[in-house]
Amino acid sequence: MKNLFNIGIIGAGMYSRVHISCFQLDGRAQVTWLASRSAGPLQAVAAEFGIPNTSTDYREMLADPALDAVVITSPPDTHAQMTVDALRAGKHVLVEKPMTTNPAGVRRIVSEAERHPELTVLECSCRHTRLQPKFRLVRQMIAEGRLGKVYHIHHHSAYPRTFIEYNPHGAWGMYKKSAGGGPFVDWGVYDLSFHLGVLDDAPQLLRLRAFTRGDLRDLSRLAPGSDVEQHGAAFMEFSGGLTYYYERGSGVYNNIPTQTRIQGTLGCLTLSFPTWDSPQVIFSHAGPRRDEPARDEVLEADFSTHPPVDPKYVPGHNDNRALVAHFLDCLQGKAAPMMPVQLAAKHLAILFRITKTR
């Protein structure tokens, strides 16, 4: 089992810095290459983190036989070609979410990954979801039957801020061609990773009705010609009788706090699944007798075993360290990918139906 992996990072933006920091903190890997088309940020990030090799052409990095794995942090419209090239070069891949921007790109990635079963390909939407304690708590409660039969999920989250206001250098996130979509693609991969994952990914989508709007805030000053959705909602019907109301917004005129309700025949769980929100999960149930009024039981996820926070590059949460640790566990044969690209493809197919992406 290898103890020190050589890692290459593609991209020199916000999340490349996060990944580099997390690999260096883990200790099982060294970042030996950084590639970016933008020479200025490339040299600045390489100097900050002491990365010895740089290139404005990621294919030069892939030609290094000593390189074990690459992390793709560039805009989503570049992911498909880069993933295919990396796999053909014999490298393991950690690809940022969303893994690509359209169904054709999804098919390319999945097809190439299946040609290389000896290589790990991990998509990042397990970051705020399957790798964190609230997911494990909710999944265990459902598996133990404490909710009875889960028949409905309700999730909503909307806020005035847009992608570019969160990431000032992320203008690409405001265009469907480069980002794949707005909040439904940016955050939807996390939402479905959590909500379908706690049900062991068993539900299969049967029917969907949805709307999206992109004509709310005037974003011409920040992103001229922006064409991603700003607000929308979907009502979905899945196999097994499960229904799911799902609402997302970014750049809307109100602020709807993130909340998930998972409704079962014996009880309901209410929570906000992101790590930076409360660790509490409210379990509403009738107790031993179902004819009693519902009462609330406050549960709290145990974060004591989650990796420590790196306050400089991982402000407010430590999911990024957990993601990098999981990727390295996969490379060492200690774990199977929690978000293989085949499963990420299932989630993106639903989101592409909501946003009508072809």
Side-chain angles (χ1 to χ4, degrees):
M1 182 173 66
K2 192 166 184 175
N3 294 318
L4 188 64
F5 293 94
N6 294 320
I7 306 293
I9 309 288
I10 303 178
M14 180 178 70
Y15 255 94
S16 71
R17 298 162 64 90
V18 170
H19 282 294
I20 294 166
S21 174
C22 291
F23 279 112
Q24 291 181 343
L25 285 165
D26 187 283
R28 289 178 288 168
Q30 55 185 356
V31 179
T32 57
W33 275 93
L34 181 66
S36 173
R37 290 179 299 183
S38 302
L42 171 68
Q43 296 306 321
V45 175
E48 178 181 357
F49 290 98
I51 300 172
N53 302 300
T54 62
S55 178
T56 54
D57 185 343
Y58 71 91
R59 290 166 293 191
E60 181 182 358
M61 178 179 77
L62 295 180
D64 183 353
L67 192 70
D68 297 298
V70 299
V71 183
I72 300 173
T73 72
S74 50
D77 61 330
T78 66
H79 290 181
Q81 186 62 55
M82 289 177 175
T83 300
V84 168
D85 289 344
L87 291 172
R88 290 178 179 175
K91 315 303 182 186
H92 304 283
V93 178
L94 176 62
V95 58
E96 265 299 340
K97 61 84 197 171
M99 66 176 180
T100 189
T101 57
N102 55 59
V106 170
R107 290 191 293 271
R108 285 190 71 197
I109 290 175
V110 171
S111 176
E112 195 64 38
E114 290 177 346
R115 291 190 182 100
H116 302 276
E118 76 284 2
L119 297 175
T120 292
V121 191
L122 176 67
E123 191 261 8
C124 288
S125 63
C126 53
R127 171 192 283 118
H128 301 312
T129 56
R130 300 175 185 225
L131 288 165
Q132 63 115 330
K134 276 184 273 190
F135 178 87
R136 293 193 290 271
L137 172 63
V138 171
R139 185 170 178 264
Q140 180 179 355
M141 292 188 68
I142 292 172
E144 291 173 349
R146 298 179 67 185
L147 271 68
K149 178 180 173 61
V150 173
Y151 63 87
H152 184 67
I153 297 172
H154 182 114
H155 178 81
H156 58 234
S157 180
Y159 36 84
R161 186 180 64 177
T162 65
F163 184 92
I164 198 171
E165 289 163 318
Y166 166 70
N167 180 5
H169 300 292
W172 55 265
M174 304 302 294
Y175 302 96
K176 199 166 185 176
K177 182 179 185 300
S178 51
F184 277 106
V185 176
D186 179 30
W187 263 100
V189 291
Y190 292 132
D191 299 329
L192 297 185
S193 174
F194 193 100
H195 299 138
L196 297 181
V198 295
L199 298 171
D200 292 329
D201 300 294
Q204 301 298 314
L205 182 66
L206 302 177
R207 288 172 289 277
L208 177 153
R209 292 184 61 194
F211 81 88
T212 59
R213 297 197 71 103
D215 58 351
L216 304 179
R217 282 185 55 197
D218 179 1
L219 300 172
S220 57
R221 179 177 58 85
L222 296 171
S226 173
D227 60 352
V228 296
E229 82 282 356
Q230 297 169 325
H231 185 217
F235 185 80
M236 295 177 275
E237 297 177 63
F238 287 83
S239 58
L242 175 72
T243 57
Y244 180 177
Y245 173 80
Y246 176 37
E247 181 179 7
R248 266 283 171 190
S250 173
V252 299
Y253 295 120
N254 58 355
N255 199 335
I256 305 172
T258 301
Q259 185 187 79
T260 294
R261 298 196 301 274
I262 302 175
Q263 199 82 40
T265 54
L266 297 179
C268 175
L269 295 177
T270 303
L271 69 150
S272 178
F273 76 76
T275 307
W276 48 88
D277 286 341
S278 170
Q280 293 185 343
V281 176
I282 308 301
F283 179 33
S284 305
H285 60 99
R289 292 179 49 186
R290 294 179 66 180
D291 61 349
E292 296 176 349
R295 62 189 184 193
D296 290 346
E297 182 180 348
V298 180
L299 310 174
E300 191 157 315
D302 179 10
F303 280 84
S304 63
T305 60
H306 218 37
V309 174
D310 170 17
K312 185 175 182 183
Y313 295 106
V314 195
H317 61 85
N318 45 11
D319 298 345
N320 295 299
R321 290 199 65 185
L323 174 67
V324 163
H326 175 58
F327 183 57
L328 293 172
D329 284 346
C330 292
L331 298 193
Q332 290 184 323
K334 297 178 179 178
M338 285 194 178
M339 187 53 65
V341 292
Q342 293 87 345
L343 185 54
K346 173 184 174 181
H347 300 161
L348 272 177
I350 295 172
L351 298 167
F352 288 156
R353 284 185 62 177
I354 294 172
T355 59
K356 297 181 174 59
T357 299
R358 298 184 182 278

